[in-house]
Structures are given as C-alpha cells and as structure tokens.
Short mmCIF file of all heavy atoms in Angstrom, two decimals:
data_model
loop_
_atom_site.label_atom_id
_atom_site.label_comp_id
_atom_site.label_asym_id
_atom_site.label_seq_id
_atom_site.Cartn_x
_atom_site.Cartn_y
_atom_site.Cartn_z
N ASN A 256 -16.94 -2.56 -23.75
CA ASN A 256 -17.60 -1.35 -24.20
C ASN A 256 -19.12 -1.45 -24.09
O ASN A 256 -19.75 -0.58 -23.56
CB ASN A 256 -17.18 -1.01 -25.63
CG ASN A 256 -17.36 -2.17 -26.57
OD1 ASN A 256 -17.96 -3.18 -26.21
ND2 ASN A 256 -16.84 -2.03 -27.79
N ALA A 257 -19.74 -2.49 -24.59
CA ALA A 257 -21.20 -2.56 -24.62
C ALA A 257 -21.79 -2.79 -23.23
O ALA A 257 -22.78 -2.18 -22.86
CB ALA A 257 -21.66 -3.66 -25.56
N SER A 258 -21.19 -3.67 -22.47
CA SER A 258 -21.78 -4.01 -21.18
C SER A 258 -21.19 -3.20 -20.03
O SER A 258 -21.61 -3.33 -18.90
CB SER A 258 -21.59 -5.50 -20.90
OG SER A 258 -20.20 -5.79 -20.77
N ALA A 259 -20.19 -2.38 -20.34
CA ALA A 259 -19.52 -1.57 -19.32
C ALA A 259 -18.97 -2.43 -18.19
O ALA A 259 -18.86 -2.01 -17.06
CB ALA A 259 -20.46 -0.49 -18.77
N SER A 260 -18.62 -3.66 -18.54
CA SER A 260 -18.00 -4.54 -17.54
C SER A 260 -16.49 -4.43 -17.66
O SER A 260 -15.96 -3.94 -18.65
CB SER A 260 -18.44 -5.98 -17.76
OG SER A 260 -18.01 -6.44 -19.01
N PHE A 261 -15.80 -4.88 -16.65
CA PHE A 261 -14.35 -4.83 -16.70
C PHE A 261 -13.78 -6.06 -16.01
O PHE A 261 -14.42 -6.69 -15.19
CB PHE A 261 -13.81 -3.55 -16.08
CG PHE A 261 -14.17 -3.40 -14.63
CD1 PHE A 261 -13.29 -3.80 -13.65
CD2 PHE A 261 -15.38 -2.83 -14.26
CE1 PHE A 261 -13.63 -3.66 -12.32
CE2 PHE A 261 -15.72 -2.69 -12.92
CZ PHE A 261 -14.83 -3.11 -11.95
N ASP A 262 -12.53 -6.37 -16.36
CA ASP A 262 -11.81 -7.48 -15.76
C ASP A 262 -11.03 -6.92 -14.58
O ASP A 262 -10.06 -6.19 -14.75
CB ASP A 262 -10.87 -8.11 -16.79
CG ASP A 262 -10.15 -9.32 -16.26
OD1 ASP A 262 -10.30 -9.64 -15.07
OD2 ASP A 262 -9.43 -9.96 -17.05
N GLN A 263 -11.46 -7.24 -13.37
CA GLN A 263 -10.86 -6.66 -12.19
C GLN A 263 -9.63 -7.42 -11.70
O GLN A 263 -8.97 -7.01 -10.76
CB GLN A 263 -11.88 -6.62 -11.05
CG GLN A 263 -12.31 -8.00 -10.59
CD GLN A 263 -13.48 -7.95 -9.65
OE1 GLN A 263 -14.19 -6.97 -9.61
NE2 GLN A 263 -13.68 -8.99 -8.91
N PHE A 264 -9.30 -8.54 -12.34
CA PHE A 264 -8.22 -9.37 -11.87
C PHE A 264 -6.90 -9.00 -12.53
O PHE A 264 -6.83 -8.82 -13.74
CB PHE A 264 -8.54 -10.84 -12.10
CG PHE A 264 -9.80 -11.25 -11.40
CD1 PHE A 264 -10.98 -11.43 -12.09
CD2 PHE A 264 -9.82 -11.40 -10.02
CE1 PHE A 264 -12.14 -11.77 -11.44
CE2 PHE A 264 -10.98 -11.73 -9.36
CZ PHE A 264 -12.14 -11.93 -10.07
N GLN A 265 -5.87 -8.94 -11.73
CA GLN A 265 -4.55 -8.59 -12.23
C GLN A 265 -3.90 -9.80 -12.89
O GLN A 265 -4.09 -10.93 -12.45
CB GLN A 265 -3.65 -8.13 -11.10
CG GLN A 265 -4.08 -6.86 -10.45
CD GLN A 265 -3.15 -6.50 -9.31
OE1 GLN A 265 -2.40 -7.32 -8.82
NE2 GLN A 265 -3.20 -5.25 -8.90
N GLU A 266 -3.10 -9.52 -13.89
CA GLU A 266 -2.26 -10.56 -14.48
C GLU A 266 -1.15 -10.87 -13.48
O GLU A 266 -0.64 -9.98 -12.81
CB GLU A 266 -1.64 -10.08 -15.79
CG GLU A 266 -2.64 -9.98 -16.92
CD GLU A 266 -3.17 -11.34 -17.33
OE1 GLU A 266 -2.39 -12.29 -17.44
OE2 GLU A 266 -4.39 -11.44 -17.52
N PRO A 267 -0.75 -12.14 -13.36
CA PRO A 267 0.35 -12.46 -12.44
C PRO A 267 1.66 -11.83 -12.92
O PRO A 267 1.91 -11.75 -14.11
CB PRO A 267 0.44 -13.98 -12.49
CG PRO A 267 -0.54 -14.45 -13.47
CD PRO A 267 -1.29 -13.31 -14.02
N VAL A 268 2.48 -11.40 -11.97
CA VAL A 268 3.82 -10.95 -12.28
C VAL A 268 4.61 -12.17 -12.74
O VAL A 268 5.36 -12.13 -13.69
CB VAL A 268 4.49 -10.31 -11.04
CG1 VAL A 268 5.97 -10.05 -11.30
CG2 VAL A 268 3.78 -9.03 -10.66
N ASP A 269 4.42 -13.28 -12.05
CA ASP A 269 5.09 -14.53 -12.37
C ASP A 269 4.15 -15.66 -12.00
O ASP A 269 3.93 -15.92 -10.83
CB ASP A 269 6.41 -14.64 -11.61
CG ASP A 269 7.25 -15.83 -12.02
OD1 ASP A 269 6.75 -16.69 -12.78
OD2 ASP A 269 8.40 -15.90 -11.57
N LYS A 270 3.57 -16.33 -13.02
CA LYS A 270 2.60 -17.38 -12.72
C LYS A 270 3.26 -18.71 -12.42
O LYS A 270 2.59 -19.68 -12.11
CB LYS A 270 1.56 -17.51 -13.82
CG LYS A 270 2.09 -17.86 -15.18
CD LYS A 270 0.95 -17.90 -16.17
CE LYS A 270 1.47 -18.10 -17.58
NZ LYS A 270 0.41 -18.08 -18.55
N ASP A 271 4.59 -18.78 -12.50
CA ASP A 271 5.32 -19.97 -12.08
C ASP A 271 6.52 -19.52 -11.25
O ASP A 271 7.66 -19.85 -11.55
CB ASP A 271 5.76 -20.81 -13.29
CG ASP A 271 6.24 -22.20 -12.90
OD1 ASP A 271 5.93 -22.63 -11.77
OD2 ASP A 271 6.93 -22.83 -13.70
N ALA A 272 6.22 -18.76 -10.21
CA ALA A 272 7.26 -18.22 -9.35
C ALA A 272 7.86 -19.33 -8.49
O ALA A 272 7.27 -20.39 -8.32
CB ALA A 272 6.66 -17.14 -8.44
N SER A 273 9.03 -19.06 -7.96
CA SER A 273 9.64 -20.04 -7.06
C SER A 273 8.81 -20.09 -5.78
O SER A 273 8.25 -19.09 -5.33
CB SER A 273 11.09 -19.67 -6.77
OG SER A 273 11.15 -18.40 -6.15
N VAL A 274 8.73 -21.27 -5.22
CA VAL A 274 7.95 -21.48 -4.01
C VAL A 274 8.81 -21.12 -2.81
O VAL A 274 9.91 -21.65 -2.67
CB VAL A 274 7.48 -22.95 -3.91
CG1 VAL A 274 6.72 -23.20 -2.62
CG2 VAL A 274 6.63 -23.32 -5.12
N PRO A 275 8.35 -20.21 -1.96
CA PRO A 275 9.13 -19.88 -0.76
C PRO A 275 9.40 -21.14 0.07
O PRO A 275 8.53 -22.00 0.23
CB PRO A 275 8.22 -18.90 0.00
CG PRO A 275 7.36 -18.29 -1.07
CD PRO A 275 7.13 -19.40 -2.06
N GLU A 276 10.61 -21.23 0.57
CA GLU A 276 11.06 -22.43 1.29
C GLU A 276 10.14 -22.82 2.44
O GLU A 276 9.92 -24.00 2.69
CB GLU A 276 12.48 -22.20 1.81
CG GLU A 276 13.14 -23.43 2.38
CD GLU A 276 13.31 -24.55 1.36
OE1 GLU A 276 13.59 -24.26 0.19
OE2 GLU A 276 13.16 -25.73 1.74
N LYS A 277 9.55 -21.83 3.10
CA LYS A 277 8.70 -22.16 4.25
C LYS A 277 7.47 -22.97 3.86
O LYS A 277 6.87 -23.63 4.70
CB LYS A 277 8.29 -20.89 5.01
CG LYS A 277 7.39 -19.94 4.24
CD LYS A 277 7.11 -18.70 5.06
CE LYS A 277 6.25 -17.71 4.33
NZ LYS A 277 5.97 -16.53 5.14
N PHE A 278 7.09 -22.95 2.56
CA PHE A 278 5.92 -23.70 2.13
C PHE A 278 6.25 -25.11 1.63
O PHE A 278 5.35 -25.92 1.46
CB PHE A 278 5.16 -22.93 1.06
CG PHE A 278 4.66 -21.60 1.54
CD1 PHE A 278 5.10 -20.43 0.96
CD2 PHE A 278 3.77 -21.52 2.60
CE1 PHE A 278 4.65 -19.20 1.42
CE2 PHE A 278 3.31 -20.30 3.07
CZ PHE A 278 3.75 -19.14 2.48
N VAL A 279 7.53 -25.39 1.41
CA VAL A 279 7.92 -26.71 0.92
C VAL A 279 7.60 -27.78 1.97
O VAL A 279 7.01 -28.82 1.65
CB VAL A 279 9.40 -26.74 0.50
CG1 VAL A 279 9.84 -28.15 0.13
CG2 VAL A 279 9.64 -25.78 -0.66
N ASP A 280 7.97 -27.55 3.21
CA ASP A 280 7.69 -28.51 4.27
C ASP A 280 6.18 -28.68 4.48
O ASP A 280 5.70 -29.77 4.75
CB ASP A 280 8.36 -28.11 5.59
CG ASP A 280 9.87 -28.30 5.55
OD1 ASP A 280 10.35 -29.14 4.74
OD2 ASP A 280 10.58 -27.62 6.32
N ILE A 281 5.44 -27.58 4.35
CA ILE A 281 3.98 -27.66 4.48
C ILE A 281 3.42 -28.53 3.36
O ILE A 281 2.56 -29.39 3.59
CB ILE A 281 3.35 -26.25 4.45
CG1 ILE A 281 3.76 -25.45 5.69
CG2 ILE A 281 1.82 -26.33 4.35
CD1 ILE A 281 3.40 -23.98 5.64
N GLY A 282 3.90 -28.34 2.14
CA GLY A 282 3.45 -29.14 1.01
C GLY A 282 3.75 -30.62 1.21
O GLY A 282 2.90 -31.48 0.94
N LYS A 283 4.93 -30.92 1.70
CA LYS A 283 5.31 -32.33 1.95
C LYS A 283 4.41 -32.94 3.03
O LYS A 283 3.99 -34.09 2.91
CB LYS A 283 6.77 -32.43 2.36
CG LYS A 283 7.72 -32.16 1.20
CD LYS A 283 9.17 -32.22 1.65
CE LYS A 283 10.10 -31.94 0.49
NZ LYS A 283 11.52 -31.94 0.90
N ALA A 284 4.10 -32.17 4.06
CA ALA A 284 3.21 -32.67 5.12
C ALA A 284 1.80 -32.90 4.58
O ALA A 284 1.14 -33.88 4.94
CB ALA A 284 3.19 -31.68 6.29
N LEU A 285 1.33 -32.02 3.69
CA LEU A 285 0.01 -32.20 3.09
C LEU A 285 -0.04 -33.47 2.24
O LEU A 285 -1.04 -34.19 2.25
CB LEU A 285 -0.37 -30.98 2.25
CG LEU A 285 -0.73 -29.72 3.03
CD1 LEU A 285 -0.76 -28.51 2.12
CD2 LEU A 285 -2.07 -29.90 3.75
N VAL A 286 1.03 -33.75 1.51
CA VAL A 286 1.08 -34.97 0.70
C VAL A 286 1.08 -36.20 1.61
O VAL A 286 0.39 -37.18 1.32
CB VAL A 286 2.29 -34.96 -0.25
CG1 VAL A 286 2.50 -36.32 -0.90
CG2 VAL A 286 2.10 -33.88 -1.32
#
C-alpha cells in the first residue's frame, strides 16, 4: 500500500513436482 510495490512472482502450483523422466538422465550426467 505505501510503496505501491507488488510481488510479481507466482506461487508454484507444485514446488516439489515430479521430475520429468527426460531430465533424470541429464541430472545423472551432470553428477
């Protein structure tokens, strides 16, 4: 109210969502 600022970031629908399978192999390669 005072500063007329706002939070432009959305809340996550799911902040611990399942990891899509295509990224599992990428993660293993990164490790």
Side-chain angles (χ1 to χ4, degrees):
N256 53 9
S258 64
S260 63
F261 61 94
D262 183 355
Q263 65 190 19
F264 301 104
Q265 295 179 343
E266 288 294 316
V268 171
D269 187 351
K270 61 182 174 182
D271 193 18
S273 60
V274 177
E276 189 62 36
K277 66 183 179 179
F278 299 118
V279 174
D280 288 336
I281 294 170
K283 289 178 180 178
L285 287 166
V286 169

